[in-house]
Amino acid sequence: PPALPPVSPPALPPAGPPAAPDRGDAAPRGRRLAAWTIDAALLAAVAVLLAAMTWGRMHGQFVEDVPWRVGEAVLGLATSAGDVGGAAGKIGGDLWGTVVADIEQALLLLVLVELAYHFAATAWKGRTVGKAVMDIRVHRPAAAGESGGSSVGKGRAARRALVSTAAGTGVYALAWVLLLNGWFLLSVLLWLAAVALFTANALPTLAGARRRSVADLLAGTTVVRARTYQRATETARRVARDNAARLAQNERAQQAAVHAQQAAAHGRRAARQAGASGRRLGGRIKRRALPAAQPDLPQLPPAQQPLAQLPPAQYQPPPQYQPPPQIHVRPPQQIPPPWQQGGPPPR
C-alpha cells in the first residue's frame, strides 16, 4: 500500500488572554453605536422594572395610608377649629413626600445599576453586553516601551464607569430629583448640562480619528476591535481541516489495511499453489529416478534362475581364467613314399 503522509495535530490558539490589538485598530462607528443601543435597551428594561416596582409601592401606600391620613386630617380639622387648608395641606404634603421619596429611590437605584454594570463589565471582561455582541472591547493602549497594551484594570474601569454613568443617567436623574423638590430652574439647567455632557462624550466616537470618548480620555482607554468571532471562525476552520485530514488519513489507513489483507490472501493462495506445484514436480523427479518396475516372471528352479536372482548363499563367482597348458606336439617325421622304400612304383 502507498505510504501515508503524516498529519500534524490541530494548531489551537495559545492559552491566556487574547493578543493585544494594534493602536490604530479602533472600533468602527457603526459597531459602537449599535453597542450603545444594546446597553441603553438593557438599562431601559431595568428602568421599566424599577418604575413598575415604584408604582406598586405607591399604590400600596395610597390604599393603606390614605384612609388613615384622611382620618388624621378630619381629627386635626376638628381640633384646629376648622383649619381646612392646614388639614388638606398636611394630607397632600405627606402623600407627595411619599411619592417623591419612592421616585428618588428608583432613580438612585437606576444610577447605581448603570454604574455597577459599566464598572463590573469593563473591569472583568473589558466589554459590556453590547460591546460583546458587536465584537469590540475596551483596551488600554500600550505605553512607551511596551510591545502591546494590557487589561483595563479596576482604576481605569472605575473612572470610565463614573464618566459614562454621569453622561448617561446620572445628571438626568439629578435633574429629576431637583424638579421633584421644586427646583425648576436648576433642574432645567441640569438637563441642558446632561445633554451637553452626553453630546461631548458621544460625538468623538462618531467623528474623531481615534474615536475616543471623554470617558476614554479621562480613563486612558480606547475601544478597539476584539476579533473574537474572527478568531473563533479561524479556529473552527482549522479544526475542521484537521478533522477532515484525520478522516482522510483513517480512510487511507483502512484502504491500506484492506489492500494488505488482500495481498496476504493472494500470498497464501500463491504459497499453496507453489507448494502443490513443488509436490507434483518432486513426484515426477522421484518417479524418474526410481528403476522401472520389473514384470512378474515365473519362478524358475535354482539351476535355471539367472545369477543375479540367485540368493547370496548359492551364488559363487566364476573361477579365475587360467591359460590352458601348453602341449608340445612333435613334428611329423618325413616318411619316404613306398616306391622309394623299394616297393613297386605306382601305375
Side-chain angles (χ1 to χ4, degrees):
L4 301 178
V7 178
S8 60
L12 298 179
D22 299 331
R23 289 174 177 266
D25 195 12
R29 301 179 181 88
R31 293 193 182 187
R32 294 201 67 171
L33 181 59
W36 178 85
T37 304
I38 295 173
D39 293 334
L42 293 176
L43 291 175
V46 174
V48 170
L49 179 61
L50 290 175
M53 295 172 60
T54 304
W55 173 255
R57 290 179 61 189
M58 291 190 299
H59 182 269
Q61 289 174 357
F62 272 103
V63 171
E64 295 177 359
D65 295 345
V66 168
W68 177 259
R69 294 182 183 277
V70 170
E72 287 183 350
V74 172
L75 182 61
L77 182 63
T79 57
S80 62
D83 188 6
V84 178
K90 187 175 185 305
I91 295 174
D94 293 340
L95 291 177
W96 179 250
T98 302
V99 171
V100 169
D102 292 340
I103 295 176
E104 288 177 351
Q105 290 177 9
L107 291 174
L108 180 60
L109 285 175
L110 181 61
V111 173
L112 292 178
V113 166
E114 182 179 5
L115 179 62
Y117 171 67
H118 282 288
F119 170 73
T122 305
W124 181 36
K125 289 294 185 180
R127 62 177 74 181
T128 58
V129 175
K131 291 182 176 62
V133 172
M134 301 312 300
D135 198 22
I136 57 179
R137 62 188 298 268
V138 180
H139 174 69
R140 181 179 70 84
E146 292 183 358
S147 58
S150 60
S151 60
V152 178
K154 295 181 180 180
R156 288 183 172 82
R159 292 197 297 268
R160 195 177 191 281
L162 285 172
V163 177
S164 300
T165 304
T169 61
V171 181
Y172 283 107
L174 183 58
W176 272 103
V177 170
L178 293 178
L179 180 63
L180 292 174
N181 286 277
W183 301 84
F184 180 75
L185 182 59
L186 189 56
S187 66
V188 172
L189 294 178
L190 278 179
W191 274 330
L192 295 178
V195 173
L197 182 58
F198 177 79
T199 304
N201 186 51
L203 189 60
T205 63
L206 302 177
R210 298 288 301 276
R211 292 191 284 278
R212 298 180 69 185
S213 62
V214 176
D216 289 325
L217 292 175
L218 294 178
T221 58
T222 183
V223 180
V224 296
R225 296 173 182 265
R227 304 188 185 278
T228 305
Y229 300 151
Q230 181 179 357
R231 288 196 299 269
T233 303
E234 292 176 356
T235 302
R237 290 178 179 175
R238 185 163 53 250
V239 172
R241 289 195 300 267
D242 295 334
N243 291 337
R246 283 197 183 96
L247 291 176
Q249 184 183 15
N250 293 335
E251 184 177 358
R252 290 195 297 268
Q254 292 177 359
Q255 293 179 357
V258 172
H259 293 164
Q261 293 177 359
Q262 294 177 354
H266 289 313
R268 290 193 295 270
R269 190 179 302 111
R272 289 195 296 268
Q273 293 178 357
S277 301
R279 288 191 295 272
R280 288 194 297 269
L281 181 61
R284 293 176 182 176
I285 295 175
K286 185 177 180 180
R287 284 193 297 271
R288 290 181 180 179
L290 293 176
Q294 298 293 334
D296 296 336
L297 298 177
Q299 295 293 333
L300 298 177
Q304 299 180 2
Q305 288 183 0
L307 296 179
Q309 295 182 2
L310 292 177
Q314 299 179 3
Y315 175 76
Q316 295 180 359
Q320 294 182 359
Y321 174 75
Q322 297 180 359
Q326 294 182 3
I327 303 174
H328 298 279
V329 179
R330 192 172 46 186
Q333 297 178 0
Q334 294 294 333
I335 301 176
W339 64 83
Q340 292 181 2
Q341 298 179 2
R347 293 182 181 176

